[in-house]
């Protein structure tokens, strides 16, 4: 476990202290990694102060007058809070509590469960929004988690700097951890701000990724049932 004690008198920026802590523990801290075990809540507030100063510098460098432009006055702090508390919250918050219930009674559910989760993410390359849905399918194992937990887990994985391919893997891994299910599939469909707002400026940049494990990968019938379920969700979902 990391040492979370930060001494003010160090005189170093807190982010540097935490980076050293991560390196000493050989903990990777890429944009898509969760580092909640290494940053306390109190430190997170201090990091928001530090990031505010840094965003002020960026705005100054962009020659935006944050002293007299009323719309730009609080922008640096808004950006700092948004990164830590919203668009990258999945890096700093611990995994959502997904209490599992036993699924071992006589009449236990043995079928497939497919949950549709809306996602908001951000690409690591351009920090542009990624907006989409994940379809998470499992064959129920010995444990069941509440339906909303699938979405909470997916959103916790998404609210980081991600690549869609990695996000798909991350969701599958975390759902496997929370449910103990070995047979599962995750299908993500998303549009990427980095394709729509810059670069090729394509306004229908729909990207699809799929991760299949166990029977979803090896059994043609299970795989078909999963994709049929997704199609039904897309066609008949109640609004
Ligand atoms: Zn991008």
């Amino acid at each position: 476990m990391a040492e979370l004690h930060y001494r003010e008198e160090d005189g170093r920026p807190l982010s540097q202290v935490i980076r050293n802590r991560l390196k000493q523990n050989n903990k990777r801290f890429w944009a898509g990694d969760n580092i909640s075990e290494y940053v306390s809540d109190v430190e997170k507030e201090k990091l928001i102060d530090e990031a505010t100063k840094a965003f002020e510098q960026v705005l100054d460098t962009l020659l935006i007058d944050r002293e007299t432009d009323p719309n730009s006055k609080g922008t640096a702090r808004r950006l700092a809070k948004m990164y830590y508390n919203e668009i990258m919250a999945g890096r700093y918050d611990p995994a959502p509590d997904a209490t599992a219930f036993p699924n071992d009674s006589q009449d236990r559910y043995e079928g497939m469960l497919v949950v549709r989760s809306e996602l908001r993410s951000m690409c690591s390359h351009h920090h542009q929004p990624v907006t989409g849905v994940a379809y998470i399918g499992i064959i129920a194992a010995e444990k069941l988690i509440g339906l909303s937990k699938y979405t909470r887990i997916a959103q916790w994985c998404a609210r980081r700097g991600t690549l869609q391919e990695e996000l798909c893997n991350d969701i599958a891994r975390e759902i496997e951890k929370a449910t103990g299910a070995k047979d599962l599939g995750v299908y993500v469909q998303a549009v990427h701000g980095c394709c729509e707002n810059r670069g090729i400026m394509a306004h229908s940049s729909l990207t699809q990724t799929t991760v299949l494990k166990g029977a979803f990968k090896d059994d043609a019938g299970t795989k078909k049932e999963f994709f049929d379920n997704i199609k039904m969700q897309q066609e008949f979902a109640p609004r």
Side-chain angles (χ1 to χ4, degrees):
M1 186 50 209
E3 170 62 60
L4 291 186
H5 183 68
Y6 168 61
R7 294 183 303 279
E8 294 274 355
E9 64 271 21
D10 272 355
R12 290 176 297 166
L14 177 57
S15 59
Q16 193 187 324
V17 173
I18 298 176
R19 272 200 306 280
N20 288 343
R21 183 186 295 162
L22 290 158
K23 284 178 184 167
Q24 274 162 14
N25 286 278
N26 287 320
K27 169 66 185 164
R28 201 178 75 168
F29 52 107
W30 294 3
D33 292 330
N34 180 278
I35 53 169
S36 58
E37 279 181 39
Y38 298 84
V39 185
S40 72
D41 286 347
V42 174
E43 287 175 334
K44 198 173 90 171
E45 289 310 310
K46 288 188 190 232
L47 286 171
I48 290 174
D49 293 339
E50 191 184 319
T52 300
K53 295 266 180 315
F55 279 123
E56 281 171 0
Q57 274 188 26
V58 173
L59 292 170
D60 290 347
T61 307
L62 290 170
L63 301 172
I64 292 171
D65 182 355
R66 55 186 178 83
E67 274 148 27
T68 64
D69 174 0
N71 299 316
S72 301
K73 263 185 185 166
T75 297
R77 183 149 195 90
R78 278 192 290 272
L79 282 170
K81 284 170 81 174
M82 179 182 74
Y83 268 83
Y84 282 97
N85 297 334
E86 292 165 337
I87 58 179
M88 281 207 174
R91 303 189 72 233
Y92 311 103
D93 292 344
D97 173 37
T99 312
F101 304 97
N103 182 36
D104 52 9
S105 64
Q106 279 283 306
D107 56 348
R108 72 193 203 98
Y109 181 68
E110 292 178 325
M112 185 182 291
L113 183 77
V114 179
V115 177
R116 177 186 193 272
S117 303
E118 287 188 11
L119 296 182
R120 294 283 179 281
S121 191
M122 187 179 85
C123 82
S124 308
H125 295 141
H126 305 94
H127 288 205
Q128 284 288 301
V130 175
T131 310
V133 283
Y135 294 91
I136 302 162
I138 66 163
I139 307 272
E142 291 84 49
K143 292 188 282 183
L144 289 178
I145 57 173
L147 290 179
S148 67
K149 303 301 182 195
Y150 293 91
T151 300
R152 283 196 196 286
I153 290 169
Q155 288 178 344
W156 175 69
C157 293
R159 296 179 97 187
R160 307 173 190 185
T162 59
L163 283 192
Q164 188 174 326
E165 298 89 327
E166 286 173 7
L167 174 58
C168 210
N169 279 333
D170 289 349
I171 295 172
R173 190 189 56 244
E174 294 300 329
I175 295 291
E176 191 177 344
K177 243 192 243 174
T179 60
K182 295 287 167 216
D183 305 308
L184 66 117
V186 178
Y187 168 75
V188 174
Q189 206 179 42
V191 289
H192 290 248
C194 62
C195 297
E196 300 197 327
N197 305 331
R198 51 160 300 289
I200 63 167
M201 301 274 198
H203 279 276
S204 57
S205 64
L206 190 60
T207 306
Q208 311 183 100
T209 44
T210 312
V211 172
L212 301 171
K213 295 186 176 202
F216 283 67
K217 185 171 159 206
D218 303 324
D219 178 63
T222 306
K223 189 173 173 177
K224 182 173 184 313
E225 188 184 338
F226 178 49
F227 286 105
D228 284 350
N229 263 283
I230 292 172
K231 252 182 255 163
M232 281 191 278
Q233 289 237 20
Q234 290 177 336
E235 284 168 28
F236 307 119
R239 285 276 153 218

